[in-house]
Protein backbone atom coordinates (compact mmCIF):
# COMPACT_ATOMS: atom_id res chain seq x y z
CA UNK A 1 0.00 0.00 0.00
CA UNK A 2 2.66 2.51 1.05
CA UNK A 3 4.85 1.64 -1.95
CA UNK A 4 1.96 2.75 -4.19
CA UNK A 5 1.63 5.99 -2.20
CA UNK A 6 5.35 6.70 -2.58
CA UNK A 7 4.96 6.26 -6.35
CA UNK A 8 2.07 8.74 -6.34
CA UNK A 9 4.16 11.25 -4.36
CA UNK A 10 7.02 11.18 -6.88
CA UNK A 11 4.67 11.51 -9.86
CA UNK A 12 2.53 14.36 -8.51
CA UNK A 13 5.56 16.21 -7.12
CA UNK A 14 6.85 16.62 -10.66
CA UNK A 15 3.54 18.20 -11.70
CA UNK A 16 2.14 21.41 -10.27
CA UNK A 17 -1.32 20.06 -9.52
CA UNK A 18 -3.30 20.70 -6.36
CA UNK A 19 -3.17 17.69 -4.00
CA UNK A 20 -5.74 16.61 -1.41
CA UNK A 21 -4.36 14.23 1.26
CA UNK A 22 -6.97 12.30 3.27
CA UNK A 23 -6.50 10.05 6.27
CA UNK A 24 -7.09 9.69 10.00
CA UNK A 25 -5.18 11.70 12.58
CA UNK A 26 -1.62 10.51 13.04
CA UNK A 27 -1.27 8.77 9.66
CA UNK A 28 1.43 11.17 8.46
CA UNK A 29 -0.42 13.58 6.16
CA UNK A 30 1.98 16.44 6.89
CA UNK A 31 4.96 14.18 6.10
CA UNK A 32 3.38 13.32 2.75
CA UNK A 33 2.84 17.03 2.00
CA UNK A 34 6.47 17.82 2.93
CA UNK A 35 7.71 15.00 0.72
CA UNK A 36 5.73 16.30 -2.28
CA UNK A 37 7.21 19.76 -1.70
CA UNK A 38 10.77 18.44 -1.30
CA UNK A 39 10.57 16.52 -4.58
CA UNK A 40 8.95 19.38 -6.52
CA UNK A 41 10.46 22.14 -8.66
CA UNK A 42 9.34 24.62 -5.94
CA UNK A 43 11.58 23.10 -3.24
CA UNK A 44 13.90 26.14 -3.21
CA UNK A 45 10.93 28.41 -2.43
CA UNK A 46 8.96 28.67 0.85
CA UNK A 47 6.77 25.87 2.27
CA UNK A 48 4.09 27.65 4.32
CA UNK A 49 1.94 25.54 6.65
CA UNK A 50 -1.48 26.78 7.75
CA UNK A 51 -3.47 24.76 10.30
CA UNK A 52 -7.10 25.69 9.69
CA UNK A 53 -8.24 24.40 13.09
CA UNK A 54 -5.41 25.84 15.22
CA UNK A 55 -6.09 29.45 14.20
CA UNK A 56 -9.23 30.99 15.79
CA UNK A 57 -12.04 31.47 13.26
CA UNK A 58 -11.96 35.26 13.61
CA UNK A 59 -8.25 35.37 12.80
CA UNK A 60 -8.04 32.75 10.05
CA UNK A 61 -9.24 35.08 7.29
CA UNK A 62 -6.70 37.72 8.31
CA UNK A 63 -3.94 35.08 8.42
CA UNK A 64 -4.84 33.82 4.94
CA UNK A 65 -5.67 37.05 3.17
CA UNK A 66 -4.00 39.72 5.30
CA UNK A 67 -5.60 43.12 5.91
CA UNK A 68 -5.16 46.76 5.09
CA UNK A 69 -4.41 49.39 7.70
CA UNK A 70 -7.66 50.46 9.36
CA UNK A 71 -9.65 47.51 7.96
CA UNK A 72 -10.97 46.83 11.48
CA UNK A 73 -10.33 47.88 15.07
CA UNK A 74 -6.73 47.05 15.92
CA UNK A 75 -5.54 46.92 12.29
CA UNK A 76 -2.84 49.56 12.82
CA UNK A 77 -0.74 48.52 9.84
CA UNK A 78 -0.96 46.51 6.65
CA UNK A 79 -0.57 42.76 7.20
CA UNK A 80 1.03 40.63 4.53
CA UNK A 81 -0.73 37.38 3.74
CA UNK A 82 0.55 33.81 3.97
CA UNK A 83 0.08 33.51 0.20
CA UNK A 84 2.47 36.43 -0.33
CA UNK A 85 5.05 34.89 2.02
CA UNK A 86 4.80 31.63 0.03
CA UNK A 87 5.24 33.33 -3.37
CA UNK A 88 6.75 30.85 -5.80
CA UNK A 89 6.49 28.05 -3.24
CA UNK A 90 3.87 25.79 -1.70
CA UNK A 91 1.00 26.41 0.71
CA UNK A 92 -0.06 23.46 2.90
CA UNK A 93 -3.63 23.84 4.21
CA UNK A 94 -3.92 21.35 7.05
CA UNK A 95 -7.33 20.34 8.47
CA UNK A 96 -9.09 22.00 5.52
CA UNK A 97 -12.38 20.38 6.60
CA UNK A 98 -12.49 22.75 9.60
CA UNK A 99 -12.32 25.93 7.52
CA UNK A 100 -15.40 28.20 7.99
CA UNK A 101 -17.75 28.47 4.98
CA UNK A 102 -17.15 32.20 4.48
CA UNK A 103 -13.40 31.63 4.29
CA UNK A 104 -13.91 28.68 1.94
CA UNK A 105 -15.59 31.01 -0.57
CA UNK A 106 -12.59 33.35 -0.58
CA UNK A 107 -10.13 30.46 -0.84
CA UNK A 108 -12.05 29.17 -3.85
CA UNK A 109 -11.31 32.42 -5.68
CA UNK A 110 -7.59 32.06 -4.94
CA UNK A 111 -7.61 28.53 -6.35
CA UNK A 112 -9.57 29.59 -9.44
CA UNK A 113 -8.04 32.96 -10.25
CA UNK A 114 -4.72 32.81 -8.37
CA UNK A 115 -5.52 36.21 -6.88
CA UNK A 116 -7.05 37.67 -3.71
CA UNK A 117 -7.80 40.93 -1.91
CA UNK A 118 -6.68 41.81 1.59
CA UNK A 119 -9.41 42.34 4.18
CA UNK A 120 -10.46 45.95 3.74
CA UNK A 121 -8.62 46.22 0.42
CA UNK A 122 -9.80 46.84 -3.14
CA UNK A 123 -6.68 45.88 -5.08
CA UNK A 124 -6.34 42.32 -6.39
CA UNK A 125 -3.01 40.66 -5.63
CA UNK A 126 -1.72 37.90 -7.91
CA UNK A 127 -0.10 34.85 -6.33
CA UNK A 128 2.05 32.06 -7.74
CA UNK A 129 1.80 29.17 -5.28
CA UNK A 130 1.01 25.48 -5.30
CA UNK A 131 -1.68 24.19 -2.95
CA UNK A 132 -1.62 20.99 -0.93
CA UNK A 133 -4.54 20.37 1.44
CA UNK A 134 -5.12 17.69 4.07
CA UNK A 135 -8.06 16.53 6.14
CA UNK A 136 -9.00 13.77 8.55
CA UNK A 137 -12.69 14.30 7.78
CA UNK A 138 -14.93 12.95 5.03
CA UNK A 139 -15.42 16.07 2.91
CA UNK A 140 -18.26 14.49 0.92
CA UNK A 141 -20.19 13.97 4.15
CA UNK A 142 -19.50 17.60 5.11
CA UNK A 143 -20.85 18.69 1.70
CA UNK A 144 -24.10 16.79 2.34
CA UNK A 145 -24.36 18.46 5.75
CA UNK A 146 -23.85 21.89 4.18
CA UNK A 147 -20.54 22.45 6.00
CA UNK A 148 -18.18 22.31 3.02
CA UNK A 149 -18.47 23.85 -0.43
CA UNK A 150 -18.77 21.31 -3.23
CA UNK A 151 -17.06 23.62 -5.74
CA UNK A 152 -14.09 24.02 -3.39
CA UNK A 153 -13.91 20.23 -2.94
CA UNK A 154 -13.59 19.71 -6.69
CA UNK A 155 -10.92 22.41 -6.92
CA UNK A 156 -8.89 20.71 -4.18
CA UNK A 157 -9.50 17.13 -5.28
CA UNK A 158 -7.38 17.30 -8.45
CA UNK A 159 -4.97 14.62 -7.24
CA UNK A 160 -6.26 12.82 -4.12
CA UNK A 161 -3.96 10.70 -1.96
CA UNK A 162 -5.58 8.49 0.69
CA UNK A 163 -3.40 7.25 3.56
CA UNK A 164 -4.85 4.12 5.16
CA UNK A 165 -5.04 3.74 8.93
CA UNK A 166 -2.21 1.75 10.52
CA UNK A 167 -4.62 -1.05 11.50
CA UNK A 168 -5.29 -1.58 7.78
CA UNK A 169 -1.60 -1.99 6.90
CA UNK A 170 -0.29 -4.19 9.67
CA UNK A 171 2.63 -5.23 7.45
CA UNK A 172 4.07 -1.76 8.08
CA UNK A 173 3.95 -1.96 11.88
CA UNK A 174 7.17 -3.97 12.37
CA UNK A 175 9.07 -1.82 9.84
CA UNK A 176 7.89 1.39 11.51
CA UNK A 177 8.62 0.04 14.99
CA UNK A 178 12.21 -0.84 14.03
CA UNK A 179 12.65 2.58 12.42
CA UNK A 180 11.43 4.40 15.54
CA UNK A 181 13.55 2.24 17.86
CA UNK A 182 16.68 3.19 15.91
CA UNK A 183 15.81 6.88 16.09
CA UNK A 184 15.18 6.68 19.85
CA UNK A 185 18.83 5.91 20.57
CA UNK A 186 19.63 2.78 22.59
CA UNK A 187 19.25 -0.43 20.62
CA UNK A 188 16.13 -1.72 22.32
CA UNK A 189 14.44 -4.83 20.92
CA UNK A 190 10.86 -6.06 21.11
CA UNK A 191 10.03 -9.43 22.67
CA UNK A 192 7.75 -11.83 20.78
CA UNK A 193 4.96 -11.35 23.33
CA UNK A 194 5.15 -7.57 22.91
CA UNK A 195 5.28 -7.90 19.14
CA UNK A 196 2.02 -9.88 19.17
CA UNK A 197 0.34 -7.15 21.22
CA UNK A 198 1.64 -4.41 18.94
CA UNK A 199 0.42 -6.18 15.79
CA UNK A 200 -3.03 -7.02 17.22
CA UNK A 201 -3.66 -3.52 18.65
CA UNK A 202 -6.03 -1.26 16.64
CA UNK A 203 -3.83 1.91 16.82
CA UNK A 204 -6.52 4.63 16.92
CA UNK A 205 -3.72 7.23 17.00
CA UNK A 206 -1.97 5.54 14.06
CA UNK A 207 1.76 6.12 13.36
CA UNK A 208 2.00 8.97 15.87
CA UNK A 209 0.64 6.71 18.62
CA UNK A 210 3.05 3.90 17.69
CA UNK A 211 6.01 6.24 18.02
CA UNK A 212 4.78 7.53 21.40
CA UNK A 213 4.18 4.00 22.72
CA UNK A 214 7.71 2.89 21.79
CA UNK A 215 9.25 5.99 23.34
CA UNK A 216 7.24 5.32 26.53
CA UNK A 217 8.43 1.68 26.57
CA UNK A 218 12.09 2.57 25.96
CA UNK A 219 12.04 4.84 29.01
CA UNK A 220 10.67 2.04 31.22
CA UNK A 221 12.82 -0.87 30.04
CA UNK A 222 16.02 -1.63 31.97
CA UNK A 223 17.56 -4.40 29.85
CA UNK A 224 16.82 -3.05 26.35
CA UNK A 225 14.07 -5.62 25.76
CA UNK A 226 10.55 -4.21 25.53
CA UNK A 227 8.10 -6.51 27.29
CA UNK A 228 4.28 -6.19 27.50
CA UNK A 229 4.60 -4.66 30.99
CA UNK A 230 6.42 -1.70 29.44
CA UNK A 231 3.46 -0.81 27.20
CA UNK A 232 0.93 1.86 28.27
CA UNK A 233 -2.13 0.66 30.25
CA UNK A 234 -4.36 1.53 27.29
CA UNK A 235 -2.87 -1.42 25.39
Amino acid sequence: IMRNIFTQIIKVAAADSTVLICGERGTGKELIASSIYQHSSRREKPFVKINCVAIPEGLLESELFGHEKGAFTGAIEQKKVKFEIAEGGTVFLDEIGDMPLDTQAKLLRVLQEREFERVGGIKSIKVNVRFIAATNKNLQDLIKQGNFREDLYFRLNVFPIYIPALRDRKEDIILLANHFLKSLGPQATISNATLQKIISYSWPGNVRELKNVLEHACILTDDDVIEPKHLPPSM
Side-chain angles (χ1 to χ4, degrees):
I1 293 173
M2 293 308 295
R3 193 178 297 274
N4 179 48
I5 290 175
F6 295 147
T7 300
Q8 292 181 61
I9 289 170
I10 297 302
K11 287 190 174 183
V12 77
D16 212 30
S17 303
T18 300
V19 181
L20 179 61
I21 306 168
C22 301
E24 294 181 5
R25 292 187 190 278
T27 48
K29 296 186 292 298
E30 186 173 332
L31 290 174
I32 298 292
S34 295
S35 184
I36 293 170
Y37 161 72
Q38 288 162 5
H39 288 88
S40 75
S41 60
R42 295 178 180 262
R43 59 186 172 273
E44 302 298 328
K45 298 292 185 178
F47 181 59
V48 177
K49 305 174 188 177
I50 303 169
N51 190 313
C52 299
V53 74
I55 303 170
E57 183 174 333
L59 295 177
L60 180 59
E61 193 168 310
S62 178
E63 284 293 315
L64 286 173
F65 307 106
H67 59 252
E68 296 291 351
K69 181 179 179 181
F72 50 82
T73 303
I76 58 175
E77 60 183 16
Q78 185 189 76
K79 178 181 175 65
K80 277 202 168 186
V81 66
K82 296 286 189 185
F83 300 147
E84 291 176 279
I85 297 169
E87 179 64 22
T90 302
V91 172
F92 175 48
L93 296 163
D94 200 8
E95 307 294 359
I96 190 73
D98 291 280
M99 180 177 283
L101 279 168
D102 289 347
T103 311
Q104 289 178 31
K106 295 191 175 184
L107 175 63
L108 178 64
R109 183 191 171 196
V110 181
L111 287 166
Q112 288 176 327
E113 311 294 339
R114 287 300 193 268
E115 64 180 29
F116 69 96
E117 292 173 6
R118 292 194 186 97
V119 177
I122 56 173
K123 179 184 175 183
S124 292
I125 301 167
K126 292 284 186 181
V127 289
N128 171 25
V129 296
R130 181 194 196 160
F131 288 96
I132 301 174
T135 182
N136 65 342
K137 296 185 176 180
N138 187 317
L139 295 185
Q140 291 177 318
D141 285 346
L142 291 181
I143 290 169
K144 292 175 184 176
Q145 297 162 13
N147 294 322
F148 200 84
R149 294 180 62 106
E150 187 174 34
D151 47 6
L152 177 58
Y153 170 74
F154 287 121
R155 280 286 172 182
L156 293 170
N157 198 42
V158 177
F159 193 93
I161 296 178
Y162 174 70
I163 309 176
L166 190 55
R167 61 183 172 275
D168 295 327
R169 46 187 175 103
K170 290 187 178 291
E171 68 277 7
D172 291 338
I173 292 175
I174 297 175
L175 291 171
L176 285 166
N178 287 331
H179 168 73
F180 290 140
L181 285 177
K182 287 179 183 177
S183 68
L184 288 169
Q187 293 303 304
T189 57
I190 304 173
S191 72
N192 288 334
T194 307
L195 197 57
Q196 289 175 4
K197 281 189 171 292
I198 286 175
I199 292 173
S200 62
Y201 183 58
S202 62
W203 297 108
N206 292 291
V207 178
R208 187 182 300 138
E209 184 183 10
L210 174 61
K211 183 178 181 181
N212 291 344
V213 162
L214 291 173
E215 186 171 349
H216 175 275
C218 283
I219 292 169
L220 292 180
T221 183
D222 294 320
D223 56 3
D224 294 338
V225 178
I226 297 174
E227 299 289 355
K229 65 181 180 180
H230 301 133
L231 300 175
S234 59
M235 294 185 65

